[in-house]
Amino acid sequence: MWVLSGSCNGQNYGVLQPNPEDLCKCLPIEPDIADFRHIAKHQPIPSMAAVETDVTTMLSWPQDVFVAPDAPRTGRELQVFHLGSAFVQEASVNAADCDVHFEISQTADKTAPRVIVETPVDSEFCNARQNAQAQLAKHNFRLDSQHGGELPMALPVQVTGMAFEDFDHTRGSAQVATIWELHPAVVTIP
């Protein structure tokens, strides 16, 4: 069954998805070439020691004025980071590229500044996507291509992923306070 549905917080949910509940079968509505720095974002997380960081530190990372749409990873983007203590505030599936989009903050306060972390649609992240979906379901939050958005209450999370400098555009809530992300990333909700 194909499902067509609406949007929330700038995210499109369920746009013509044949299996809206299966995060591993999401079909992007935009071609890869339309995705900013697609090749840089869609790669496995390298097996290396992760640098411990936190949301507050990520919010302080300097932002470039311009990043080319096809720029390869450089500098900080070549490192793997681990956030041992953060809070997920929002979770959704972006219909454009089918990546699972999370907004995380340093504290559980709903007005706290946030950073984005994304788990790509790529097959090597299928288990991570399904695990996050199952962990959220245990907290009565439904995440699939039709459902998602702001969580009623922030939940503690741990995140491992690669730094990624996006460009300045609307891509989440008003609390998103930097263009720096972790992408690709794996989110664990205890």
PDB file of all heavy atoms in Angstrom, residues 32-43 64 66-78 97 99 163-167 169 179-181 183-184:
ATOM      1  N   ASP A  32      19.788  11.870  -5.588  1.00  0.00           N
ATOM      2  CA  ASP A  32      21.010  12.105  -4.811  1.00  0.00           C
ATOM      3  C   ASP A  32      21.688  13.416  -5.189  1.00  0.00           C
ATOM      4  O   ASP A  32      22.217  14.119  -4.327  1.00  0.00           O
ATOM      5  CB  ASP A  32      22.005  10.955  -5.001  1.00  0.00           C
ATOM      6  CG  ASP A  32      21.516   9.648  -4.400  1.00  0.00           C
ATOM      7  OD1 ASP A  32      20.491   9.659  -3.683  1.00  0.00           O
ATOM      8  OD2 ASP A  32      22.164   8.613  -4.658  1.00  0.00           O
ATOM      9  N   ILE A  33      21.663  13.766  -6.453  1.00  0.00           N
ATOM     10  CA  ILE A  33      22.351  14.971  -6.924  1.00  0.00           C
ATOM     11  C   ILE A  33      21.760  16.253  -6.318  1.00  0.00           C
ATOM     12  O   ILE A  33      22.436  17.269  -6.223  1.00  0.00           O
ATOM     13  CB  ILE A  33      22.363  15.040  -8.473  1.00  0.00           C
ATOM     14  CG1 ILE A  33      23.391  16.047  -8.934  1.00  0.00           C
ATOM     15  CG2 ILE A  33      20.980  15.324  -9.018  1.00  0.00           C
ATOM     16  CD1 ILE A  33      23.759  15.935 -10.396  1.00  0.00           C
ATOM     17  N   ALA A  34      20.510  16.203  -5.871  1.00  0.00           N
ATOM     18  CA  ALA A  34      19.867  17.372  -5.253  1.00  0.00           C
ATOM     19  C   ALA A  34      20.261  17.538  -3.788  1.00  0.00           C
ATOM     20  O   ALA A  34      20.020  18.586  -3.192  1.00  0.00           O
ATOM     21  CB  ALA A  34      18.353  17.247  -5.365  1.00  0.00           C
ATOM     22  N   ASP A  35      20.880  16.524  -3.210  1.00  0.00           N
ATOM     23  CA  ASP A  35      21.254  16.515  -1.796  1.00  0.00           C
ATOM     24  C   ASP A  35      22.599  17.211  -1.604  1.00  0.00           C
ATOM     25  O   ASP A  35      23.596  16.836  -2.221  1.00  0.00           O
ATOM     26  CB  ASP A  35      21.325  15.061  -1.317  1.00  0.00           C
ATOM     27  CG  ASP A  35      21.508  14.923   0.174  1.00  0.00           C
ATOM     28  OD1 ASP A  35      21.190  15.857   0.919  1.00  0.00           O
ATOM     29  OD2 ASP A  35      21.954  13.828   0.593  1.00  0.00           O
ATOM     30  N   PHE A  36      22.659  18.222  -0.744  1.00  0.00           N
ATOM     31  CA  PHE A  36      23.885  18.967  -0.463  1.00  0.00           C
ATOM     32  C   PHE A  36      24.966  18.021   0.061  1.00  0.00           C
ATOM     33  O   PHE A  36      24.751  17.313   1.035  1.00  0.00           O
ATOM     34  CB  PHE A  36      23.586  20.065   0.568  1.00  0.00           C
ATOM     35  CG  PHE A  36      24.764  20.894   0.963  1.00  0.00           C
ATOM     36  CD1 PHE A  36      25.249  21.885   0.118  1.00  0.00           C
ATOM     37  CD2 PHE A  36      25.398  20.690   2.175  1.00  0.00           C
ATOM     38  CE1 PHE A  36      26.342  22.664   0.479  1.00  0.00           C
ATOM     39  CE2 PHE A  36      26.487  21.470   2.548  1.00  0.00           C
ATOM     40  CZ  PHE A  36      26.967  22.456   1.698  1.00  0.00           C
ATOM     41  N   ARG A  37      26.104  17.999  -0.594  1.00  0.00           N
ATOM     42  CA  ARG A  37      27.272  17.195  -0.199  1.00  0.00           C
ATOM     43  C   ARG A  37      26.899  15.726   0.037  1.00  0.00           C
ATOM     44  O   ARG A  37      27.326  15.102   0.993  1.00  0.00           O
ATOM     45  CB  ARG A  37      27.950  17.798   1.028  1.00  0.00           C
ATOM     46  CG  ARG A  37      28.477  19.219   0.797  1.00  0.00           C
ATOM     47  CD  ARG A  37      29.203  19.777   1.983  1.00  0.00           C
ATOM     48  NE  ARG A  37      30.440  19.026   2.192  1.00  0.00           N
ATOM     49  CZ  ARG A  37      31.077  18.983   3.355  1.00  0.00           C
ATOM     50  NH1 ARG A  37      30.605  19.617   4.406  1.00  0.00           N
ATOM     51  NH2 ARG A  37      32.187  18.289   3.474  1.00  0.00           N
ATOM     52  N   HIS A  38      26.102  15.184  -0.858  1.00  0.00           N
ATOM     53  CA  HIS A  38      25.587  13.824  -0.712  1.00  0.00           C
ATOM     54  C   HIS A  38      26.696  12.793  -0.484  1.00  0.00           C
ATOM     55  O   HIS A  38      26.598  11.975   0.432  1.00  0.00           O
ATOM     56  CB  HIS A  38      24.750  13.437  -1.936  1.00  0.00           C
ATOM     57  CG  HIS A  38      24.176  12.070  -1.833  1.00  0.00           C
ATOM     58  ND1 HIS A  38      23.022  11.813  -1.141  1.00  0.00           N
ATOM     59  CD2 HIS A  38      24.612  10.873  -2.309  1.00  0.00           C
ATOM     60  CE1 HIS A  38      22.755  10.520  -1.199  1.00  0.00           C
ATOM     61  NE2 HIS A  38      23.703   9.926  -1.901  1.00  0.00           N
ATOM     62  N   ILE A  39      27.731  12.837  -1.282  1.00  0.00           N
ATOM     63  CA  ILE A  39      28.804  11.837  -1.158  1.00  0.00           C
ATOM     64  C   ILE A  39      29.490  11.948   0.203  1.00  0.00           C
ATOM     65  O   ILE A  39      29.799  10.938   0.841  1.00  0.00           O
ATOM     66  CB  ILE A  39      29.815  11.961  -2.313  1.00  0.00           C
ATOM     67  CG1 ILE A  39      29.124  11.566  -3.631  1.00  0.00           C
ATOM     68  CG2 ILE A  39      31.054  11.103  -2.070  1.00  0.00           C
ATOM     69  CD1 ILE A  39      29.936  11.869  -4.870  1.00  0.00           C
ATOM     70  N   ALA A  40      29.691  13.166   0.691  1.00  0.00           N
ATOM     71  CA  ALA A  40      30.342  13.362   1.990  1.00  0.00           C
ATOM     72  C   ALA A  40      29.477  12.829   3.135  1.00  0.00           C
ATOM     73  O   ALA A  40      30.007  12.322   4.129  1.00  0.00           O
ATOM     74  CB  ALA A  40      30.644  14.843   2.203  1.00  0.00           C
ATOM     75  N   LYS A  41      28.163  12.943   3.010  1.00  0.00           N
ATOM     76  CA  LYS A  41      27.258  12.497   4.086  1.00  0.00           C
ATOM     77  C   LYS A  41      27.002  11.000   4.080  1.00  0.00           C
ATOM     78  O   LYS A  41      26.768  10.413   5.123  1.00  0.00           O
ATOM     79  CB  LYS A  41      25.896  13.196   3.959  1.00  0.00           C
ATOM     80  CG  LYS A  41      25.916  14.652   4.291  1.00  0.00           C
ATOM     81  CD  LYS A  41      24.525  15.222   4.399  1.00  0.00           C
ATOM     82  CE  LYS A  41      23.814  15.340   3.101  1.00  0.00           C
ATOM     83  NZ  LYS A  41      22.578  16.119   3.175  1.00  0.00           N
ATOM     84  N   HIS A  42      27.010  10.415   2.899  1.00  0.00           N
ATOM     85  CA  HIS A  42      26.602   9.019   2.775  1.00  0.00           C
ATOM     86  C   HIS A  42      27.815   8.108   2.650  1.00  0.00           C
ATOM     87  O   HIS A  42      28.229   7.727   1.553  1.00  0.00           O
ATOM     88  CB  HIS A  42      25.627   8.859   1.603  1.00  0.00           C
ATOM     89  CG  HIS A  42      24.337   9.545   1.869  1.00  0.00           C
ATOM     90  ND1 HIS A  42      23.279   8.910   2.475  1.00  0.00           N
ATOM     91  CD2 HIS A  42      23.955  10.827   1.677  1.00  0.00           C
ATOM     92  CE1 HIS A  42      22.289   9.768   2.618  1.00  0.00           C
ATOM     93  NE2 HIS A  42      22.669  10.938   2.150  1.00  0.00           N
ATOM     94  N   GLN A  43      28.360   7.807   3.812  1.00  0.00           N
ATOM     95  CA  GLN A  43      29.499   6.910   3.909  1.00  0.00           C
ATOM     96  C   GLN A  43      29.439   6.204   5.253  1.00  0.00           C
ATOM     97  O   GLN A  43      28.782   6.689   6.178  1.00  0.00           O
ATOM     98  CB  GLN A  43      30.804   7.678   3.747  1.00  0.00           C
ATOM     99  CG  GLN A  43      31.028   8.738   4.826  1.00  0.00           C
ATOM    100  CD  GLN A  43      32.363   9.424   4.616  1.00  0.00           C
ATOM    101  OE1 GLN A  43      33.385   8.779   4.413  1.00  0.00           O
ATOM    102  NE2 GLN A  43      32.359  10.744   4.679  1.00  0.00           N
ATOM    103  N   ASP A  64      31.917  27.915   8.637  1.00  0.00           N
ATOM    104  CA  ASP A  64      32.423  28.566   7.433  1.00  0.00           C
ATOM    105  C   ASP A  64      31.328  29.429   6.811  1.00  0.00           C
ATOM    106  O   ASP A  64      30.145  29.100   6.902  1.00  0.00           O
ATOM    107  CB  ASP A  64      32.902  27.524   6.413  1.00  0.00           C
ATOM    108  CG  ASP A  64      34.181  26.831   6.869  1.00  0.00           C
ATOM    109  OD1 ASP A  64      35.096  27.531   7.339  1.00  0.00           O
ATOM    110  OD2 ASP A  64      34.247  25.591   6.761  1.00  0.00           O
ATOM    111  N   PHE A  66      31.018  29.826   3.593  1.00  0.00           N
ATOM    112  CA  PHE A  66      30.555  29.110   2.407  1.00  0.00           C
ATOM    113  C   PHE A  66      31.177  27.722   2.384  1.00  0.00           C
ATOM    114  O   PHE A  66      32.373  27.573   2.616  1.00  0.00           O
ATOM    115  CB  PHE A  66      30.938  29.867   1.126  1.00  0.00           C
ATOM    116  CG  PHE A  66      30.604  29.119  -0.130  1.00  0.00           C
ATOM    117  CD1 PHE A  66      29.305  29.079  -0.601  1.00  0.00           C
ATOM    118  CD2 PHE A  66      31.589  28.438  -0.830  1.00  0.00           C
ATOM    119  CE1 PHE A  66      28.992  28.371  -1.762  1.00  0.00           C
ATOM    120  CE2 PHE A  66      31.289  27.735  -1.992  1.00  0.00           C
ATOM    121  CZ  PHE A  66      29.977  27.712  -2.452  1.00  0.00           C
ATOM    122  N   VAL A  67      30.348  26.736   2.101  1.00  0.00           N
ATOM    123  CA  VAL A  67      30.813  25.363   1.900  1.00  0.00           C
ATOM    124  C   VAL A  67      30.264  24.936   0.538  1.00  0.00           C
ATOM    125  O   VAL A  67      29.047  25.002   0.303  1.00  0.00           O
ATOM    126  CB  VAL A  67      30.308  24.409   3.003  1.00  0.00           C
ATOM    127  CG1 VAL A  67      30.783  22.988   2.739  1.00  0.00           C
ATOM    128  CG2 VAL A  67      30.765  24.881   4.378  1.00  0.00           C
ATOM    129  N   ALA A  68      31.147  24.514  -0.354  1.00  0.00           N
ATOM    130  CA  ALA A  68      30.714  24.117  -1.697  1.00  0.00           C
ATOM    131  C   ALA A  68      29.782  22.915  -1.633  1.00  0.00           C
ATOM    132  O   ALA A  68      29.970  22.022  -0.797  1.00  0.00           O
ATOM    133  CB  ALA A  68      31.932  23.798  -2.561  1.00  0.00           C
ATOM    134  N   PRO A  69      28.776  22.864  -2.500  1.00  0.00           N
ATOM    135  CA  PRO A  69      27.795  21.775  -2.461  1.00  0.00           C
ATOM    136  C   PRO A  69      28.359  20.390  -2.758  1.00  0.00           C
ATOM    137  O   PRO A  69      27.699  19.387  -2.505  1.00  0.00           O
ATOM    138  CB  PRO A  69      26.755  22.169  -3.511  1.00  0.00           C
ATOM    139  CG  PRO A  69      27.283  23.330  -4.235  1.00  0.00           C
ATOM    140  CD  PRO A  69      28.459  23.872  -3.501  1.00  0.00           C
ATOM    141  N   ASP A  70      29.591  20.333  -3.279  1.00  0.00           N
ATOM    142  CA  ASP A  70      30.215  19.036  -3.550  1.00  0.00           C
ATOM    143  C   ASP A  70      31.535  18.878  -2.789  1.00  0.00           C
ATOM    144  O   ASP A  70      32.355  18.025  -3.117  1.00  0.00           O
ATOM    145  CB  ASP A  70      30.447  18.864  -5.051  1.00  0.00           C
ATOM    146  CG  ASP A  70      31.355  19.936  -5.631  1.00  0.00           C
ATOM    147  OD1 ASP A  70      31.655  20.936  -4.928  1.00  0.00           O
ATOM    148  OD2 ASP A  70      31.775  19.782  -6.797  1.00  0.00           O
ATOM    149  N   ALA A  71      31.732  19.708  -1.747  1.00  0.00           N
ATOM    150  CA  ALA A  71      32.992  19.683  -1.000  1.00  0.00           C
ATOM    151  C   ALA A  71      33.209  18.336  -0.318  1.00  0.00           C
ATOM    152  O   ALA A  71      32.293  17.785   0.299  1.00  0.00           O
ATOM    153  CB  ALA A  71      32.988  20.796   0.051  1.00  0.00           C
ATOM    154  N   PRO A  72      34.420  17.795  -0.412  1.00  0.00           N
ATOM    155  CA  PRO A  72      34.727  16.557   0.313  1.00  0.00           C
ATOM    156  C   PRO A  72      34.889  16.861   1.802  1.00  0.00           C
ATOM    157  O   PRO A  72      35.011  18.016   2.207  1.00  0.00           O
ATOM    158  CB  PRO A  72      36.056  16.111  -0.301  1.00  0.00           C
ATOM    159  CG  PRO A  72      36.694  17.386  -0.756  1.00  0.00           C
ATOM    160  CD  PRO A  72      35.564  18.292  -1.174  1.00  0.00           C
ATOM    161  N   ARG A  73      34.908  15.834   2.599  1.00  0.00           N
ATOM    162  CA  ARG A  73      35.153  16.000   4.034  1.00  0.00           C
ATOM    163  C   ARG A  73      36.581  16.477   4.261  1.00  0.00           C
ATOM    164  O   ARG A  73      37.512  15.996   3.613  1.00  0.00           O
ATOM    165  CB  ARG A  73      34.949  14.673   4.766  1.00  0.00           C
ATOM    166  CG  ARG A  73      33.504  14.291   4.901  1.00  0.00           C
ATOM    167  CD  ARG A  73      33.364  12.980   5.687  1.00  0.00           C
ATOM    168  NE  ARG A  73      31.967  12.716   5.912  1.00  0.00           N
ATOM    169  CZ  ARG A  73      31.261  13.180   6.949  1.00  0.00           C
ATOM    170  NH1 ARG A  73      31.844  13.898   7.872  1.00  0.00           N
ATOM    171  NH2 ARG A  73      29.984  12.916   7.069  1.00  0.00           N
ATOM    172  N   THR A  74      36.730  17.406   5.228  1.00  0.00           N
ATOM    173  CA  THR A  74      38.061  17.895   5.603  1.00  0.00           C
ATOM    174  C   THR A  74      38.075  18.176   7.092  1.00  0.00           C
ATOM    175  O   THR A  74      37.019  18.319   7.725  1.00  0.00           O
ATOM    176  CB  THR A  74      38.424  19.197   4.856  1.00  0.00           C
ATOM    177  OG1 THR A  74      37.478  20.207   5.197  1.00  0.00           O
ATOM    178  CG2 THR A  74      38.465  19.015   3.358  1.00  0.00           C
ATOM    179  N   GLY A  75      39.267  18.284   7.660  1.00  0.00           N
ATOM    180  CA  GLY A  75      39.439  18.697   9.051  1.00  0.00           C
ATOM    181  C   GLY A  75      38.599  17.892  10.026  1.00  0.00           C
ATOM    182  O   GLY A  75      38.646  16.665  10.057  1.00  0.00           O
ATOM    183  N   ARG A  76      37.822  18.599  10.836  1.00  0.00           N
ATOM    184  CA  ARG A  76      36.965  17.994  11.870  1.00  0.00           C
ATOM    185  C   ARG A  76      36.033  16.919  11.284  1.00  0.00           C
ATOM    186  O   ARG A  76      35.677  15.960  11.942  1.00  0.00           O
ATOM    187  CB  ARG A  76      36.152  19.105  12.538  1.00  0.00           C
ATOM    188  CG  ARG A  76      35.172  18.649  13.567  1.00  0.00           C
ATOM    189  CD  ARG A  76      34.420  19.816  14.205  1.00  0.00           C
ATOM    190  NE  ARG A  76      35.306  20.546  15.081  1.00  0.00           N
ATOM    191  CZ  ARG A  76      35.646  21.824  14.936  1.00  0.00           C
ATOM    192  NH1 ARG A  76      35.174  22.537  13.939  1.00  0.00           N
ATOM    193  NH2 ARG A  76      36.465  22.396  15.780  1.00  0.00           N
ATOM    194  N   GLU A  77      35.655  17.095  10.035  1.00  0.00           N
ATOM    195  CA  GLU A  77      34.716  16.162   9.408  1.00  0.00           C
ATOM    196  C   GLU A  77      35.301  14.766   9.189  1.00  0.00           C
ATOM    197  O   GLU A  77      34.573  13.834   8.872  1.00  0.00           O
ATOM    198  CB  GLU A  77      34.235  16.713   8.068  1.00  0.00           C
ATOM    199  CG  GLU A  77      33.387  17.945   8.188  1.00  0.00           C
ATOM    200  CD  GLU A  77      32.908  18.424   6.845  1.00  0.00           C
ATOM    201  OE1 GLU A  77      33.707  18.420   5.884  1.00  0.00           O
ATOM    202  OE2 GLU A  77      31.724  18.792   6.756  1.00  0.00           O
ATOM    203  N   LEU A  78      36.584  14.626   9.346  1.00  0.00           N
ATOM    204  CA  LEU A  78      37.231  13.323   9.188  1.00  0.00           C
ATOM    205  C   LEU A  78      37.293  12.558  10.507  1.00  0.00           C
ATOM    206  O   LEU A  78      37.793  11.440  10.548  1.00  0.00           O
ATOM    207  CB  LEU A  78      38.644  13.509   8.619  1.00  0.00           C
ATOM    208  CG  LEU A  78      38.687  14.145   7.224  1.00  0.00           C
ATOM    209  CD1 LEU A  78      40.120  14.480   6.829  1.00  0.00           C
ATOM    210  CD2 LEU A  78      38.028  13.242   6.194  1.00  0.00           C
ATOM    211  N   ASP A  97      15.386  12.834   1.407  1.00  0.00           N
ATOM    212  CA  ASP A  97      16.483  11.871   1.290  1.00  0.00           C
ATOM    213  C   ASP A  97      16.294  10.616   2.137  1.00  0.00           C
ATOM    214  O   ASP A  97      17.131   9.722   2.113  1.00  0.00           O
ATOM    215  CB  ASP A  97      17.817  12.527   1.624  1.00  0.00           C
ATOM    216  CG  ASP A  97      17.895  13.071   3.046  1.00  0.00           C
ATOM    217  OD1 ASP A  97      16.991  12.812   3.869  1.00  0.00           O
ATOM    218  OD2 ASP A  97      18.886  13.771   3.339  1.00  0.00           O
ATOM    219  N   ASP A  99      16.662  10.205   5.224  1.00  0.00           N
ATOM    220  CA  ASP A  99      17.505  10.111   6.416  1.00  0.00           C
ATOM    221  C   ASP A  99      16.636  10.320   7.656  1.00  0.00           C
ATOM    222  O   ASP A  99      15.669  11.088   7.617  1.00  0.00           O
ATOM    223  CB  ASP A  99      18.608  11.169   6.399  1.00  0.00           C
ATOM    224  CG  ASP A  99      19.677  10.900   5.351  1.00  0.00           C
ATOM    225  OD1 ASP A  99      19.641   9.826   4.716  1.00  0.00           O
ATOM    226  OD2 ASP A  99      20.546  11.768   5.168  1.00  0.00           O
ATOM    227  N   ALA A 163      31.412  14.380  12.255  1.00  0.00           N
ATOM    228  CA  ALA A 163      31.051  15.789  12.116  1.00  0.00           C
ATOM    229  C   ALA A 163      30.769  16.083  10.651  1.00  0.00           C
ATOM    230  O   ALA A 163      31.400  15.518   9.751  1.00  0.00           O
ATOM    231  CB  ALA A 163      32.182  16.670  12.623  1.00  0.00           C
ATOM    232  N   PHE A 164      29.807  16.973  10.430  1.00  0.00           N
ATOM    233  CA  PHE A 164      29.445  17.366   9.072  1.00  0.00           C
ATOM    234  C   PHE A 164      28.986  18.815   9.099  1.00  0.00           C
ATOM    235  O   PHE A 164      28.119  19.185   9.889  1.00  0.00           O
ATOM    236  CB  PHE A 164      28.315  16.475   8.537  1.00  0.00           C
ATOM    237  CG  PHE A 164      27.860  16.867   7.164  1.00  0.00           C
ATOM    238  CD1 PHE A 164      28.595  16.498   6.052  1.00  0.00           C
ATOM    239  CD2 PHE A 164      26.718  17.626   6.987  1.00  0.00           C
ATOM    240  CE1 PHE A 164      28.183  16.880   4.775  1.00  0.00           C
ATOM    241  CE2 PHE A 164      26.302  18.009   5.719  1.00  0.00           C
ATOM    242  CZ  PHE A 164      27.034  17.629   4.609  1.00  0.00           C
ATOM    243  N   GLU A 165      29.592  19.641   8.236  1.00  0.00           N
ATOM    244  CA  GLU A 165      29.176  21.039   8.141  1.00  0.00           C
ATOM    245  C   GLU A 165      28.175  21.190   7.004  1.00  0.00           C
ATOM    246  O   GLU A 165      28.503  21.042   5.837  1.00  0.00           O
ATOM    247  CB  GLU A 165      30.382  21.960   7.928  1.00  0.00           C
ATOM    248  CG  GLU A 165      30.013  23.417   8.080  1.00  0.00           C
ATOM    249  CD  GLU A 165      31.212  24.350   8.066  1.00  0.00           C
ATOM    250  OE1 GLU A 165      32.327  23.915   7.701  1.00  0.00           O
ATOM    251  OE2 GLU A 165      31.030  25.520   8.413  1.00  0.00           O
ATOM    252  N   ASP A 166      26.948  21.471   7.378  1.00  0.00           N
ATOM    253  CA  ASP A 166      25.869  21.677   6.417  1.00  0.00           C
ATOM    254  C   ASP A 166      25.916  23.136   5.964  1.00  0.00           C
ATOM    255  O   ASP A 166      26.858  23.853   6.268  1.00  0.00           O
ATOM    256  CB  ASP A 166      24.524  21.347   7.091  1.00  0.00           C
ATOM    257  CG  ASP A 166      23.446  20.925   6.108  1.00  0.00           C
ATOM    258  OD1 ASP A 166      23.596  21.172   4.897  1.00  0.00           O
ATOM    259  OD2 ASP A 166      22.438  20.353   6.556  1.00  0.00           O
ATOM    260  N   PHE A 167      24.889  23.581   5.265  1.00  0.00           N
ATOM    261  CA  PHE A 167      24.820  24.998   4.917  1.00  0.00           C
ATOM    262  C   PHE A 167      23.637  25.611   5.651  1.00  0.00           C
ATOM    263  O   PHE A 167      22.780  24.900   6.182  1.00  0.00           O
ATOM    264  CB  PHE A 167      24.728  25.196   3.396  1.00  0.00           C
ATOM    265  CG  PHE A 167      23.414  24.778   2.773  1.00  0.00           C
ATOM    266  CD1 PHE A 167      22.479  25.737   2.393  1.00  0.00           C
ATOM    267  CD2 PHE A 167      23.116  23.434   2.553  1.00  0.00           C
ATOM    268  CE1 PHE A 167      21.276  25.360   1.814  1.00  0.00           C
ATOM    269  CE2 PHE A 167      21.920  23.051   1.967  1.00  0.00           C
ATOM    270  CZ  PHE A 167      21.002  24.020   1.599  1.00  0.00           C
ATOM    271  N   HIS A 169      20.346  26.815   6.193  1.00  0.00           N
ATOM    272  CA  HIS A 169      19.009  26.748   5.615  1.00  0.00           C
ATOM    273  C   HIS A 169      18.054  26.215   6.675  1.00  0.00           C
ATOM    274  O   HIS A 169      18.479  25.653   7.671  1.00  0.00           O
ATOM    275  CB  HIS A 169      18.983  25.861   4.367  1.00  0.00           C
ATOM    276  CG  HIS A 169      19.273  24.413   4.639  1.00  0.00           C
ATOM    277  ND1 HIS A 169      20.518  23.957   5.020  1.00  0.00           N
ATOM    278  CD2 HIS A 169      18.485  23.313   4.584  1.00  0.00           C
ATOM    279  CE1 HIS A 169      20.471  22.640   5.179  1.00  0.00           C
ATOM    280  NE2 HIS A 169      19.249  22.227   4.933  1.00  0.00           N
ATOM    281  N   ILE A 179      25.031  25.016  12.078  1.00  0.00           N
ATOM    282  CA  ILE A 179      24.953  24.219  10.858  1.00  0.00           C
ATOM    283  C   ILE A 179      25.768  22.930  10.996  1.00  0.00           C
ATOM    284  O   ILE A 179      25.701  22.054  10.147  1.00  0.00           O
ATOM    285  CB  ILE A 179      25.393  25.015   9.609  1.00  0.00           C
ATOM    286  CG1 ILE A 179      26.837  25.488   9.723  1.00  0.00           C
ATOM    287  CG2 ILE A 179      24.435  26.162   9.359  1.00  0.00           C
ATOM    288  CD1 ILE A 179      27.381  26.168   8.462  1.00  0.00           C
ATOM    289  N   TRP A 180      26.536  22.815  12.098  1.00  0.00           N
ATOM    290  CA  TRP A 180      27.284  21.583  12.343  1.00  0.00           C
ATOM    291  C   TRP A 180      26.330  20.473  12.755  1.00  0.00           C
ATOM    292  O   TRP A 180      25.399  20.699  13.523  1.00  0.00           O
ATOM    293  CB  TRP A 180      28.347  21.786  13.423  1.00  0.00           C
ATOM    294  CG  TRP A 180      29.579  22.446  12.897  1.00  0.00           C
ATOM    295  CD1 TRP A 180      29.928  23.754  13.028  1.00  0.00           C
ATOM    296  CD2 TRP A 180      30.606  21.824  12.124  1.00  0.00           C
ATOM    297  NE1 TRP A 180      31.120  23.983  12.388  1.00  0.00           N
ATOM    298  CE2 TRP A 180      31.555  22.820  11.821  1.00  0.00           C
ATOM    299  CE3 TRP A 180      30.813  20.530  11.653  1.00  0.00           C
ATOM    300  CZ2 TRP A 180      32.711  22.559  11.078  1.00  0.00           C
ATOM    301  CZ3 TRP A 180      31.964  20.270  10.923  1.00  0.00           C
ATOM    302  CH2 TRP A 180      32.892  21.273  10.637  1.00  0.00           C
ATOM    303  N   GLU A 181      26.573  19.292  12.232  1.00  0.00           N
ATOM    304  CA  GLU A 181      25.777  18.103  12.538  1.00  0.00           C
ATOM    305  C   GLU A 181      26.717  16.944  12.827  1.00  0.00           C
ATOM    306  O   GLU A 181      27.927  17.045  12.631  1.00  0.00           O
ATOM    307  CB  GLU A 181      24.926  17.694  11.320  1.00  0.00           C
ATOM    308  CG  GLU A 181      24.019  18.750  10.786  1.00  0.00           C
ATOM    309  CD  GLU A 181      23.236  18.283   9.555  1.00  0.00           C
ATOM    310  OE1 GLU A 181      23.505  17.179   9.018  1.00  0.00           O
ATOM    311  OE2 GLU A 181      22.353  19.040   9.123  1.00  0.00           O
ATOM    312  N   HIS A 183      26.724  13.467  11.004  1.00  0.00           N
ATOM    313  CA  HIS A 183      26.071  12.832   9.855  1.00  0.00           C
ATOM    314  C   HIS A 183      27.146  12.165   9.016  1.00  0.00           C
ATOM    315  O   HIS A 183      27.965  12.886   8.449  1.00  0.00           O
ATOM    316  CB  HIS A 183      25.346  13.904   9.043  1.00  0.00           C
ATOM    317  CG  HIS A 183      24.452  13.363   7.981  1.00  0.00           C
ATOM    318  ND1 HIS A 183      23.510  14.136   7.383  1.00  0.00           N
ATOM    319  CD2 HIS A 183      24.333  12.153   7.413  1.00  0.00           C
ATOM    320  CE1 HIS A 183      22.863  13.423   6.471  1.00  0.00           C
ATOM    321  NE2 HIS A 183      23.359  12.210   6.490  1.00  0.00           N
ATOM    322  N   PRO A 184      27.205  10.869   8.963  1.00  0.00           N
ATOM    323  CA  PRO A 184      26.279   9.883   9.501  1.00  0.00           C
ATOM    324  C   PRO A 184      26.443   9.740  11.012  1.00  0.00           C
ATOM    325  O   PRO A 184      27.498  10.004  11.567  1.00  0.00           O
ATOM    326  CB  PRO A 184      26.684   8.591   8.772  1.00  0.00           C
ATOM    327  CG  PRO A 184      28.148   8.749   8.510  1.00  0.00           C
ATOM    328  CD  PRO A 184      28.331  10.228   8.249  1.00  0.00           C
TER     329      PRO A 184
END
